[in-house]
Amino acid sequence: MKGNFYKLVLGFCFLFLAVDGFSQILENYDNRIEELYPQRKARSYSALNIKIEIQSFPKSSFRLSFPKESTLFLDGKLWFYAAKDTTLIVPLAELENVLEGSSAEGEVTLSIIKKDINVEEVVVQKGFFDKTIDTVGEEILYSSIPEKREKTEFYDFFFFALLAVLFLLAIYKMIYPLVLRLIIMPTAVFSAEDFSESNSLQKFFSLDVIFYLLIVNMLAFLLGMMFIKVLDRENLMVLVNGDLNQLFLNWLFGSGFLILLAVLKFVFLRILAFFFELGKIVNAHFFYLFRIISISTFSVAFIVSFVLLNGFFELEVTIKYLLYSFFWTYLLGVAMLFIIMSNRLPFKNYHLFVYICSAEIVPFLILTKVIIG
């Protein structure tokens, strides 16, 4: 009699547990798990594939359990990375949202990649599960589907645009090889060749100068877009959002704006030269600093591309240091410009200093404050 009483009490306990933690398994996929590369003894990673059915029972959910450090792919697309042992209750409707845009119908492949993964560590079940359900010896982590990663075409655009700039540079080298060598030669920065009357770059509105000005400003604005994207400048993010067509359009308009600024800068120097009676020295002044900017721009583009492709360093930190380096490089170039002009011009150093500050230092510091902060 006492034994029957205990059995009755135990039965009621199991009944209440079942009501509190209701679950109904419709399909168990544990016996359908396929281990990839099962014959390789020295494999560095193991992978499991499970084909799951996503059309039947639209109100059902999937219960997925997998070990820590697992990477999940759904229909060949990266889903998410599990840093610790995880169990997810995933409604079928949410799973279809993840597969939005996929051509898969009926069955899709769930892939789990982890070094030395064990089949017994993975549970894939379809059914109706209550979130209060508990499993002995297993920590349950209930989570919604991770947010979709923002799809961006910016980095594809960056390398396409970079190739376009290099293509234009190759054309320029074929047409004006001597002029290009004169512009990009770093040793010329330390000489006063720009200040000689025989310099071939004395005419600002010649075709070779305008063409090279276009190339440098296209590359400069492209790097500016990369800096905005990486540093997440909210007030300028409109320039780096959108599809490829929009990005290319922003790039071309921005490059044209920089060329307009360069022309206005040249006109501004002409006006200052008129007041300071400097004569033809304005052309040499403009092209000397333009050489420094062009060499720095190509150097920064090379470093950014190298870091972006190889991932040796954090890109955000690299860009910040490159901005600071460009800041001090430009100021050093202005200081060298002052020294060269003071040695070659019969002009009082005080007036020359005022001219340099008005033409270069003040505008550059204002621009730097806006960009770097």
Side-chain angles (χ1 to χ4, degrees):
M1 183 67 179
K2 186 180 292 187
N4 292 333
F5 176 75
Y6 286 137
K7 290 179 181 178
L8 183 61
V9 172
L10 187 60
F12 275 111
C13 290
F14 280 122
L15 179 62
F16 284 122
L17 287 175
V19 171
D20 185 59
F22 171 77
S23 68
Q24 179 183 0
I25 299 176
L26 300 175
E27 292 181 89
N28 191 337
Y29 293 92
D30 294 351
N31 57 349
R32 306 184 194 179
I33 298 176
E34 301 176 0
E35 183 179 7
L36 302 185
Y37 322 120
Q39 304 301 323
R40 293 182 58 186
K41 297 181 180 180
R43 65 183 184 272
S44 58
Y45 285 89
S46 298
L48 302 179
N49 273 3
I50 310 104
K51 291 188 178 299
I52 58 177
E53 210 280 329
I54 60 171
Q55 286 191 337
S56 61
F57 305 103
K59 300 295 184 181
S60 63
S61 302
F62 278 93
R63 179 165 61 187
L64 310 174
S65 298
F66 37 86
K68 63 181 180 179
E69 300 178 354
S70 298
T71 303
L72 272 69
F73 291 82
L74 195 59
D75 197 29
K77 298 162 59 176
L78 178 63
W79 188 7
F80 63 89
Y81 173 79
K84 58 181 180 179
D85 293 344
T86 305
T87 295
L88 295 178
I89 304 298
V90 185
L92 188 58
E94 296 291 338
L95 206 62
E96 291 175 349
N97 289 337
V98 177
L99 290 167
E100 185 178 0
S102 174
S103 59
E105 295 181 0
E107 282 190 341
V108 298
T109 301
L110 174 67
S111 302
I112 306 174
I113 298 178
K114 179 186 179 298
K115 185 176 182 180
D116 299 327
I117 193 172
N118 194 331
V119 177
E120 282 122 11
E121 298 176 298
V122 177
V123 175
V124 180
Q125 297 173 339
K126 182 180 183 181
F128 299 97
F129 305 101
D130 185 18
K131 290 189 176 182
T132 60
I133 190 172
D134 192 10
T135 304
V136 178
E138 181 181 9
E139 180 183 358
I140 303 296
L141 173 64
Y142 296 104
S143 173
S144 61
I145 297 296
E147 293 183 4
K148 292 185 188 179
R149 297 180 303 160
E150 180 185 359
K151 184 179 179 181
T152 177
E153 297 178 327
F154 179 80
Y155 296 106
D156 295 334
F157 152 75
F158 176 80
F159 285 107
F160 277 128
L162 186 61
L163 288 176
V165 172
L166 294 178
F167 178 74
L168 291 177
L169 187 65
I171 294 177
Y172 190 89
K173 185 177 182 300
M174 292 176 58
I175 302 175
Y176 307 107
L178 297 179
V179 178
L180 180 63
R181 192 185 334 176
L182 178 64
I183 295 177
I184 66 174
M185 187 183 304
T187 55
V189 175
F190 302 96
S191 68
E193 185 179 354
D194 282 325
F195 296 83
S196 64
E197 292 293 332
S198 61
N199 195 320
S200 61
L201 292 177
Q202 290 297 315
K203 295 182 179 179
F204 179 81
F205 291 103
S206 60
L207 183 59
D208 56 344
V209 171
I210 296 298
F211 192 6
Y212 189 75
L213 194 67
L214 171 66
I215 294 174
V216 173
N217 282 284
M218 289 177 69
L219 184 58
F221 194 81
L222 179 62
L223 291 175
M225 294 177 70
M226 171 62 74
F227 296 167
I228 293 171
K229 181 70 174 179
V230 175
L231 299 180
D232 197 16
R233 299 293 186 185
E234 294 184 1
N235 54 336
L236 297 174
M237 288 299 290
V238 66
L239 294 175
V240 295
N241 290 332
D243 56 11
L244 281 176
N245 293 332
Q246 184 64 47
L247 290 172
F248 273 106
L249 187 63
N250 294 343
W251 177 47
L252 294 177
F253 274 114
S255 302
F257 178 72
L258 288 185
I259 294 175
L260 178 61
L261 285 182
V263 174
L264 293 177
K265 171 68 178 296
F266 185 78
V267 173
F268 176 66
L269 292 180
R270 281 289 190 183
I271 295 173
L272 284 180
F274 173 77
F275 287 109
F276 284 91
E277 299 180 354
L278 289 177
K280 296 182 179 180
I281 203 66
V282 171
N283 288 17
H285 169 187
F286 181 86
F287 289 116
Y288 182 81
L289 291 179
F290 181 58
R291 174 184 283 115
I292 294 177
I293 292 174
S294 62
I295 294 175
S296 301
T297 301
F298 281 106
S299 301
V300 170
F302 173 78
I303 295 173
V304 169
S305 303
F306 182 80
V307 173
L308 188 60
L309 287 173
N310 295 278
F312 291 148
F313 309 100
E314 188 175 349
L315 187 58
E316 182 177 356
V317 176
T318 303
I319 286 176
K320 287 182 178 179
Y321 280 111
L322 287 174
L323 285 174
Y324 292 134
S325 300
F326 178 79
F327 172 81
W328 290 110
T329 300
Y330 191 84
L331 288 185
L332 181 60
V334 172
M336 294 177 61
L337 175 68
F338 174 79
I339 295 173
I340 293 174
M341 292 178 70
S342 63
N343 291 333
R344 294 184 64 89
L345 294 177
F347 205 69
K348 291 183 179 180
N349 288 341
Y350 172 76
H351 292 162
L352 186 59
F353 180 75
V354 174
Y355 166 77
I356 293 293
C357 288
S358 303
E360 298 295 341
I361 301 296
V362 175
F364 180 70
L365 290 180
I366 295 175
L367 184 63
T368 302
K369 182 63 177 178
V370 174
I371 296 176
I372 297 181

